[in-house]
PDB file of all heavy atoms in Angstrom:
ATOM      1  N   THR A  68     117.229  47.002 -24.597  1.00 61.00           N
ATOM      2  CA  THR A  68     116.303  48.071 -24.970  1.00 61.00           C
ATOM      3  C   THR A  68     116.500  48.409 -26.442  1.00 61.00           C
ATOM      4  O   THR A  68     117.589  48.276 -26.985  1.00 61.00           O
ATOM      5  CB  THR A  68     116.548  49.336 -24.126  1.00 61.00           C
ATOM      6  OG1 THR A  68     117.897  49.776 -24.314  1.00 61.00           O
ATOM      7  CG2 THR A  68     116.329  49.048 -22.639  1.00 61.00           C
ATOM      8  N   PHE A  69     115.435  48.863 -27.036  1.00 57.00           N
ATOM      9  CA  PHE A  69     115.466  49.162 -28.463  1.00 57.00           C
ATOM     10  C   PHE A  69     115.024  50.600 -28.718  1.00 57.00           C
ATOM     11  O   PHE A  69     114.416  50.908 -29.729  1.00 57.00           O
ATOM     12  CB  PHE A  69     114.567  48.181 -29.215  1.00 57.00           C
ATOM     13  CG  PHE A  69     114.927  46.747 -28.967  1.00 57.00           C
ATOM     14  CD1 PHE A  69     114.227  45.978 -28.068  1.00 57.00           C
ATOM     15  CD2 PHE A  69     116.002  46.175 -29.627  1.00 57.00           C
ATOM     16  CE1 PHE A  69     114.576  44.660 -27.833  1.00 57.00           C
ATOM     17  CE2 PHE A  69     116.358  44.852 -29.404  1.00 57.00           C
ATOM     18  CZ  PHE A  69     115.643  44.096 -28.496  1.00 57.00           C
ATOM     19  N   ASP A  70     115.336  51.478 -27.744  1.00 61.00           N
ATOM     20  CA  ASP A  70     114.901  52.870 -27.855  1.00 61.00           C
ATOM     21  C   ASP A  70     115.550  53.577 -29.045  1.00 61.00           C
ATOM     22  O   ASP A  70     115.004  54.533 -29.575  1.00 61.00           O
ATOM     23  CB  ASP A  70     115.231  53.633 -26.559  1.00 61.00           C
ATOM     24  CG  ASP A  70     114.483  53.073 -25.361  1.00 61.00           C
ATOM     25  OD1 ASP A  70     113.415  52.469 -25.575  1.00 61.00           O
ATOM     26  OD2 ASP A  70     114.966  53.236 -24.226  1.00 61.00           O
ATOM     27  N   ASP A  71     116.729  53.101 -29.418  1.00 62.00           N
ATOM     28  CA  ASP A  71     117.459  53.786 -30.486  1.00 62.00           C
ATOM     29  C   ASP A  71     117.161  53.207 -31.864  1.00 62.00           C
ATOM     30  O   ASP A  71     117.847  53.529 -32.831  1.00 62.00           O
ATOM     31  CB  ASP A  71     118.962  53.705 -30.221  1.00 62.00           C
ATOM     32  CG  ASP A  71     119.353  54.435 -28.946  1.00 62.00           C
ATOM     33  OD1 ASP A  71     118.678  55.427 -28.626  1.00 62.00           O
ATOM     34  OD2 ASP A  71     120.324  54.011 -28.293  1.00 62.00           O
ATOM     35  N   ALA A  72     116.175  52.336 -31.936  1.00 69.00           N
ATOM     36  CA  ALA A  72     115.851  51.718 -33.226  1.00 69.00           C
ATOM     37  C   ALA A  72     115.436  52.792 -34.240  1.00 69.00           C
ATOM     38  O   ALA A  72     114.722  53.737 -33.910  1.00 69.00           O
ATOM     39  CB  ALA A  72     114.728  50.710 -33.057  1.00 69.00           C
ATOM     40  N   ARG A  73     115.895  52.629 -35.453  1.00 81.00           N
ATOM     41  CA  ARG A  73     115.559  53.581 -36.504  1.00 81.00           C
ATOM     42  C   ARG A  73     114.354  53.098 -37.283  1.00 81.00           C
ATOM     43  O   ARG A  73     114.272  51.942 -37.685  1.00 81.00           O
ATOM     44  CB  ARG A  73     116.756  53.757 -37.436  1.00 81.00           C
ATOM     45  CG  ARG A  73     117.960  54.386 -36.755  1.00 81.00           C
ATOM     46  CD  ARG A  73     119.176  54.374 -37.662  1.00 81.00           C
ATOM     47  NE  ARG A  73     118.918  55.110 -38.907  1.00 81.00           N
ATOM     48  CZ  ARG A  73     119.787  55.145 -39.916  1.00 81.00           C
ATOM     49  NH1 ARG A  73     120.934  54.492 -39.820  1.00 81.00           N
ATOM     50  NH2 ARG A  73     119.496  55.822 -41.011  1.00 81.00           N
ATOM     51  N   LEU A  74     113.387  54.000 -37.457  1.00 85.00           N
ATOM     52  CA  LEU A  74     112.170  53.677 -38.197  1.00 85.00           C
ATOM     53  C   LEU A  74     112.243  54.296 -39.583  1.00 85.00           C
ATOM     54  O   LEU A  74     112.785  55.392 -39.763  1.00 85.00           O
ATOM     55  CB  LEU A  74     110.939  54.202 -37.461  1.00 85.00           C
ATOM     56  CG  LEU A  74     110.740  53.733 -36.011  1.00 85.00           C
ATOM     57  CD1 LEU A  74     109.447  54.306 -35.463  1.00 85.00           C
ATOM     58  CD2 LEU A  74     110.726  52.226 -35.930  1.00 85.00           C
ATOM     59  N   GLY A  75     111.691  53.600 -40.544  1.00 90.00           N
ATOM     60  CA  GLY A  75     111.642  54.134 -41.897  1.00 90.00           C
ATOM     61  C   GLY A  75     110.221  54.040 -42.442  1.00 90.00           C
ATOM     62  O   GLY A  75     109.627  52.957 -42.445  1.00 90.00           O
ATOM     63  N   LYS A  76     109.675  55.144 -42.847  1.00 91.00           N
ATOM     64  CA  LYS A  76     108.314  55.153 -43.365  1.00 91.00           C
ATOM     65  C   LYS A  76     108.270  54.479 -44.727  1.00 91.00           C
ATOM     66  O   LYS A  76     109.144  54.657 -45.560  1.00 91.00           O
ATOM     67  CB  LYS A  76     107.800  56.585 -43.474  1.00 91.00           C
ATOM     68  CG  LYS A  76     106.337  56.670 -43.887  1.00 91.00           C
ATOM     69  CD  LYS A  76     105.857  58.115 -43.939  1.00 91.00           C
ATOM     70  CE  LYS A  76     104.398  58.189 -44.362  1.00 91.00           C
ATOM     71  NZ  LYS A  76     103.912  59.592 -44.446  1.00 91.00           N
TER      72      LYS A  76
END
Side-chain angles (χ1 to χ4, degrees):
T68 59
F69 304 100
D70 297 335
D71 296 329
R73 295 173 59 186
L74 304 182
K76 185 178 180 181

